[in-house]
């Protein structure tokens, strides 16, 4: 049996690895810089920690812990929803849910409450200081280039993350524990670090201008202040507590003052006002985009409201509702979640899954409130307030973002839940059979395998994308074959891997393998507009015109402004000598389009339409004019532009031109 000192060290190492190391994991060799590598590392850490504790003779006593039981039901039910259209991504999503379960399990069964109270604030503060240092480097770079403008040009302040919002959210999750450490840690070194982390965290949280974070900050500070005042009224806090609270307030105010000075120097008043007003403005900006996405998600969820469509299904199924009114209308952006975790769970796991998830969240909140209410010790009470602050932030982000999709943020929920139910001490005993611990350890092995396999696949996908940019189609095909596996069949933006190889075969004139790969891609994601467009082109070139028309029309039904598909559909009808339908397809493009194919198409199609009309009406003047204009592209574009602008037929515009 291990000594208690060694056990305590293992607990501390585990907390630091999960809290401080995980968000820093990053790879420049993959398309997604961290998701699969984090899955591999966290699964390995969890596996080692559970094996260590089982071998050290820890007695696992869960009893009737409502957090583990409720999340266990949600985890078990999620297994039944693996039957979606994309088993590879669905199993990866389930493994992320399972990892959160193991974190809760570890905190409840293997980590002492005193260790959590001591090490968790230190680890979070250290993480804040690391990412803030990188953030300061970014800030200096943006300022030196003269590009800083708050809030518009703060997207370059990403620290170690891929987006400024991830930077802001991580700082927010760390802040309550940093404040707790500032109040309760008496060591001079750590106290200094807590001071610095608090001031700089508040500064960056304000200038990063993440509106969900602002809402979470206001909500968290108000409710935390109320709970703190209630406790202080019921019992006199220990000597020095009030002075410590004043120091915390000083740090927060100092951070606010510095950020306000930056706002005065670098912010545009109109931009700040517009940015803040968009929180409640439903007619423009990201709020409008999110509402539109939520409506489509509700429609999708209502297709199977009881059980949902299955894990990893949303990003595929929602495409059939079209992209009008969304940022994805640019036909190059593809949403992976509805920017609302509750809608996401409802769409994929139905009312049953949503109920179980909400039940778990209720027990998290209940456990935190119960711990706060029963605590007589001021530091313990403040720790539960910090947990509540963080939990409220997680719920806020769940409403407007997708923390459940990001492993490092989803694990924050596990840390909150586990800390809220942690025991005073963990009793050692002789080695005994711990069924749940052993089962969890065994199930972590697939997590390691999936993380490693998907990481390797992404390396090959990244090489394929580089080859695609260089028009090296042979290398694209070779790398996609290496990337494609039972664990990875779709890239991070829901594009099937075989679309890349199919497109490469098509570019090489190898139409049979191209058609085979594109058909596989269509089975994986039947609503991906680029898959549909390329599949239709393959059908057209192999002589199956009706299949080509069907897939082109399916593509433009999803993306009405998909110009390439409209032009390709126009070409099919033109080659079938149906110029009326060819022009109808072409008319969906605006005259001002920058599509390089448009001038040629409008010249040929409109010229044929006008000539056929002139011959039918025997209008010699129109015939002579068309012969005179020949292939004058600019003239045909002008006729088309006036026709669209005045809502009149091209024939009438030409007659007006003659007059």
């Amino acid at each position: 049996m291990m000594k208690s000192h060694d056990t305590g060290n293992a607990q501390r190492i585990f907390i630091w690895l999960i809290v401080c190391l995980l968000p820093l994991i990053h790879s420049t060799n993959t398309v997604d810089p961290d998701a699969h590598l984090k899955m591999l590392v966290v699964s390995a850490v969890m596996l080692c920690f559970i094996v260590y504790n089982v071998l050290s003779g820890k007695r696992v006593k869960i009893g009737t812990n409502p957090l583990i039981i409720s999340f266990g039901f949600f985890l078990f039910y999620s297994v039944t929803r693996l039957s979606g259209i994309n088993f590879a991504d669905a199993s990866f999503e389930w493994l992320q849910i399972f990892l959160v379960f193991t974190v809760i399990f570890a905190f409840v069964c293997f980590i002492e409450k005193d260790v959590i109270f001591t090490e968790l604030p230190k680890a979070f503060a250290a993480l804040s200081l690391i990412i803030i240092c990188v953030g300061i480097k970014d800030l200096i770079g943006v300022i030196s280039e003269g590009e800083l403008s708050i809030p518009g040009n703060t997207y370059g302040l990403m620290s170690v993350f891929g987006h400024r919002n991830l930077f802001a959210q991580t700082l927010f999750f760390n802040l309550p524990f940093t404040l707790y450490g500032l109040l309760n840690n008496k060591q001079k070194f750590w106290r200094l670090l807590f001071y610095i982390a608090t001031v700089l965290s508040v500064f960056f949280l304000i200038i990063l201008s993440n509106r969900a974070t602002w809402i979470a900050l206001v909500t968290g500070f108000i409710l935390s202040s109320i709970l703190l005042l209630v406790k202080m009224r019921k019992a006199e806090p220990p000597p020095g507590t009030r002075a410590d609270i004043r120091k915390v307030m000083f740090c927060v105010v100092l951070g606010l003052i510095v950020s306000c000075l930056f706002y005065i120097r670098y912010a545009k008043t109109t931009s700040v006002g517009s940015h803040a007003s968009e929180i409640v403005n439903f007619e423009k900006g990201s709020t409008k985009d999110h509402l539109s996405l939520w409506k489509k998600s509700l429609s999708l969820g209502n297709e199977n409201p009881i059980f949902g469509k299955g894990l990893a299904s949303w990003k595929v199924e929602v495409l059939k509702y079209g992209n009008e009114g969304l940022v994805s209308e640019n036909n190059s952006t593809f949403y992976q979640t509805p920017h609302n975790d509750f809608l996401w769970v409802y769409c994929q796991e139905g009312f049953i899954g949503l109920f179980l998830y909400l039940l778990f969240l209720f027990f998290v909140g209940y456990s935190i409130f119960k711990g706060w209410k029963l605590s007589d010790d001021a530091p313990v009470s403040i720790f539960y307030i910090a947990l509540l602050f963080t939990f409220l932030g997680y719920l806020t982000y769940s409403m407007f973002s997708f923390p459940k999709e990001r492993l490092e943020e989803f694990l924050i929920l596990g840390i909150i839940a586990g800390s809220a139910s942690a025991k005073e001490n963990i009793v050692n005993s002789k080695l005994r059979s711990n069924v749940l611990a052993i089962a969890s350890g065994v199930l972590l092995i697939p997590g390691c395998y999936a993380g490693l396999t998907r990481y390797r696949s992404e390396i090959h996908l990244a090489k394929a994308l580089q080859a695609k940019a260089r028009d090296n189609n042979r290398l694209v095909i070779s790398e996609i074959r290496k990337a494609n596996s039972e664990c990875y069949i779709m890239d991070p933006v829901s594009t099937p891997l075989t679309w890349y190889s199919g497109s490469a075969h098509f570019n090489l004139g190898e139409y049979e393998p191209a058609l085979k790969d594109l058909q596989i891609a269509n089975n994986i994601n039947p609503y991906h507009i680029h898959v549909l467009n390329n599949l239709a082109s393959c059908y057209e070139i192999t002589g199956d015109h009706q299949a080509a028309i069907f897939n082109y029309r399916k593509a433009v039904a999803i993306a009405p402004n998909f110009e390439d598909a409209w032009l390709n559909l126009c070409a099919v009808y033109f080659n079938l000598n149906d110029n009326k339908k060819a022009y109808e397809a072409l008319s969906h493009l605006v005259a001002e389009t920058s599509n390089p194919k448009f001038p040629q198409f409008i010249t040929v199609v409109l010229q044929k339409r006008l000539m056929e009309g002139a011959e039918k009406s025997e209008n010699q003047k129109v015939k002579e004019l068309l012969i005179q204009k020949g292939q004058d592209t600019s003239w045909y574009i002008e006729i088309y532009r006036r026709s669209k602008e005045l809502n009149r037929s091209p024939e009438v515009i030409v007659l007006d031109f003659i007059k």
Side-chain angles (χ1 to χ4, degrees):
M1 188 168 63
M2 302 289 182
K3 295 180 180 179
S4 59
H5 178 71
D6 295 334
T7 303
N9 286 336
Q11 295 172 18
R12 293 181 182 90
I13 292 171
F14 172 75
I15 288 176
W16 276 82
L17 288 176
I18 291 295
V19 171
C20 200
L21 174 65
L22 176 61
L24 303 178
I25 295 173
H26 187 85
S27 172
T28 58
N29 298 321
T30 53
V31 178
D32 189 314
D34 49 38
H36 308 104
L37 196 55
K38 285 178 179 177
M39 167 65 80
L40 171 61
V41 172
V42 176
S43 296
V45 169
M46 291 303 309
L47 179 60
C48 292
F49 187 66
I50 289 177
V51 169
Y52 169 84
N53 280 281
V54 170
L55 294 180
S56 66
K58 285 287 176 59
R59 179 186 295 134
V60 177
K61 295 178 66 177
I62 298 175
T64 56
N65 188 299
L67 286 174
I68 291 183
I69 293 173
S70 60
F71 199 79
F73 275 118
F74 176 66
L75 179 69
F76 177 77
Y77 174 73
S78 297
V79 174
T80 69
R81 309 314 303 142
L82 287 173
S83 57
I85 58 178
N86 180 3
F87 182 79
D89 284 4
S91 57
F92 185 76
E93 190 174 316
W94 183 84
L95 286 170
Q96 288 199 152
I97 298 173
F98 176 70
L99 274 178
V100 175
F101 175 81
T102 60
V103 167
I104 299 171
F105 176 72
F107 270 76
V108 171
C109 299
F110 296 138
I111 304 180
E112 296 177 7
K113 184 176 288 188
D114 288 344
V115 175
I116 293 174
F117 284 14
T118 304
E119 298 302 321
L120 209 56
K122 292 180 182 178
F124 276 118
L127 174 61
S128 291
L129 288 172
I130 292 170
I131 63 178
I132 284 171
C133 286
V134 182
I136 290 173
K137 173 180 166 291
D138 292 343
L139 182 60
I140 293 172
V142 173
I143 292 175
S144 63
E145 293 173 5
E147 297 180 355
L148 182 62
S149 174
I150 302 173
N153 289 347
T154 57
Y155 287 96
L157 308 181
M158 300 183 293
S159 186
V160 299
F161 305 97
H163 197 281
R164 71 166 185 185
N165 291 348
L166 295 178
F167 183 21
Q169 289 173 19
T170 302
L171 283 177
F172 174 86
F173 288 134
N174 298 351
L175 181 60
F177 297 99
T178 304
L179 294 173
Y180 170 80
L182 182 57
L183 279 170
N184 293 283
N185 195 298
K186 304 304 179 184
Q187 296 175 317
K188 290 183 179 180
F189 172 74
W190 280 106
R191 203 167 179 80
L192 177 62
L193 293 186
F194 286 130
Y195 274 122
I196 297 171
T198 299
V199 174
L200 293 178
S201 293
V202 172
F203 166 72
F204 272 102
L205 284 170
I206 300 303
I207 70 166
L208 286 171
S209 305
N210 179 266
R211 287 163 294 194
T213 297
W214 288 352
I215 295 172
L217 280 171
V218 172
T219 306
F221 271 119
I222 290 175
L223 191 54
S224 298
S225 299
I226 292 173
L227 294 179
L228 187 60
L229 288 172
V230 169
K231 274 294 180 183
M232 291 177 69
R233 282 179 176 273
K234 286 186 176 181
E236 183 65 26
T241 301
R242 295 182 187 275
D244 288 337
I245 292 174
R246 285 194 292 269
K247 291 175 183 178
V248 168
M249 293 176 63
F250 171 78
C251 289
V252 172
V253 171
L254 181 59
L256 288 171
I257 291 173
V258 177
S259 62
C260 287
L261 292 175
F262 253 74
Y263 258 84
I264 293 171
R265 174 65 179 83
Y266 293 105
K268 295 180 181 178
T269 305
T270 53
S271 298
V272 174
S274 174
H275 188 71
S277 66
E278 283 183 12
I279 296 176
V280 292
N281 189 334
F282 302 149
E283 300 299 325
K284 65 176 184 177
S286 59
T287 303
K288 174 180 176 293
D289 196 58
H290 288 174
L291 285 175
S292 181
L293 196 61
W294 294 351
K295 290 177 183 177
K296 296 177 189 294
S297 299
L298 279 173
S299 299
L300 173 61
N302 291 338
E303 288 185 18
N304 192 346
I306 305 300
F307 302 106
K309 306 286 284 189
L311 293 179
S313 63
W314 183 92
K315 60 186 178 183
V316 172
E317 293 285 337
V318 78
L319 295 176
K320 65 187 175 186
Y321 287 95
N323 61 14
E324 282 188 285
L326 299 172
V327 171
S328 57
E329 203 168 17
N330 60 14
N331 299 324
S332 60
T333 300
F334 295 89
Y335 292 100
Q336 301 308 295
T337 75
H339 287 253
N340 185 303
D341 279 350
F342 306 111
L343 271 176
W344 193 33
V345 173
Y346 169 61
C347 290
Q348 298 193 149
E349 303 183 62
F351 275 126
I352 296 176
L354 181 59
F355 170 77
L356 292 173
Y357 185 58
L358 290 175
L359 182 65
F360 165 70
L361 293 177
F362 167 79
F363 280 123
V364 173
Y366 173 77
S367 297
I368 294 172
F369 182 76
K370 181 181 177 182
W372 168 81
K373 186 176 181 181
L374 297 178
S375 61
D376 296 323
D377 187 40
V380 175
S381 176
I382 294 171
F383 183 82
Y384 281 106
I385 292 175
L387 287 179
L388 182 62
F389 197 132
T390 310
F391 182 58
L392 289 173
Y394 186 90
L395 295 180
T396 302
Y397 289 131
S398 295
M399 285 295 298
F400 305 107
S401 185
F402 37 96
K404 185 176 176 292
E405 191 259 352
R406 302 186 186 107
L407 180 57
E408 65 270 31
E409 295 192 357
F410 198 14
L411 286 178
I412 291 290
L413 179 60
I415 292 171
I416 295 169
S419 299
S421 293
K423 296 177 173 59
E424 292 293 341
N425 53 67
I426 306 296
V427 180
N428 288 330
S429 69
K430 293 181 179 180
L431 181 64
R432 54 181 290 170
S433 175
N434 296 301
V435 177
L436 186 56
I438 294 172
S440 297
V442 170
L443 287 173
L444 284 167
I445 296 174
C448 295
Y449 176 76
L452 180 60
T453 304
R454 289 172 71 94
Y455 176 67
R456 288 174 174 172
S457 293
E458 282 244 329
I459 291 175
H460 291 297
L461 175 60
K463 291 179 179 178
L465 293 177
Q466 293 169 3
K468 183 175 181 289
R470 300 193 302 268
D471 293 324
N472 189 340
N473 292 297
R474 286 293 174 206
L475 186 56
V476 170
I477 295 168
S478 173
E479 292 297 336
I480 289 299
R481 283 176 181 167
K482 297 174 184 176
N484 213 341
S485 71
E486 70 279 4
C487 293
Y488 194 76
I489 60 174
M490 186 183 292
D491 76 4
V493 291
S494 62
T495 302
L497 297 189
T498 51
W499 175 80
Y500 294 102
S501 55
S503 300
H505 279 301
F506 186 88
N507 293 336
L508 292 169
E510 300 167 352
Y511 301 120
E512 285 190 15
L515 182 59
K516 180 180 178 181
D517 279 357
L518 291 170
Q519 286 173 333
I520 294 172
N522 190 51
N523 289 335
I524 295 171
N525 190 343
Y527 308 110
H528 195 293
I529 57 173
H530 296 294
V531 171
L532 292 168
N533 183 52
N534 288 22
L535 178 62
S537 297
C538 214
Y539 277 129
E540 172 61 16
I541 209 163
T542 55
D544 194 341
H545 305 300
Q546 294 308 312
I549 291 171
F550 173 81
N551 283 283
Y552 282 136
R553 288 214 167 271
K554 186 176 178 181
V556 296
I558 293 169
N561 66 342
F562 189 15
E563 293 184 346
D564 282 348
W566 282 119
L567 289 170
N568 291 336
L569 183 61
C570 170
V572 173
Y573 283 128
F574 187 84
N575 293 334
L576 291 174
N577 205 30
D578 192 340
N579 200 59
K580 181 179 179 181
K581 288 185 178 179
Y583 184 80
E584 186 275 331
L586 189 60
S587 66
H588 286 84
L589 278 70
V590 296
E592 295 77 20
T593 178
S594 59
N595 194 301
K597 299 177 183 177
F598 177 73
Q600 178 187 359
F601 273 71
I602 193 64
T603 301
V604 173
V605 175
L606 185 54
Q607 183 187 53
K608 184 176 181 180
R609 169 174 171 156
L610 293 174
M611 185 62 77
E612 288 177 347
E615 290 175 351
K616 187 175 181 179
S617 63
E618 298 182 351
N619 192 321
Q620 192 62 32
K621 289 184 178 181
V622 173
K623 286 184 183 180
E624 292 174 357
L625 177 63
L626 294 176
I627 293 171
Q628 176 189 340
K629 292 298 180 182
Q631 300 296 312
D632 188 350
T633 297
S634 59
W635 184 78
Y636 285 103
I637 291 177
E638 179 60 21
I639 295 296
Y640 179 76
R641 186 190 66 77
R642 291 188 186 182
S643 172
K644 299 280 285 184
E645 187 178 278
L646 300 175
N647 196 25
R648 302 171 73 182
S649 70
E651 290 82 1
V652 173
I653 300 299
V654 170
L655 290 175
D656 291 343
F657 186 89
I658 293 175
K659 294 177 183 178

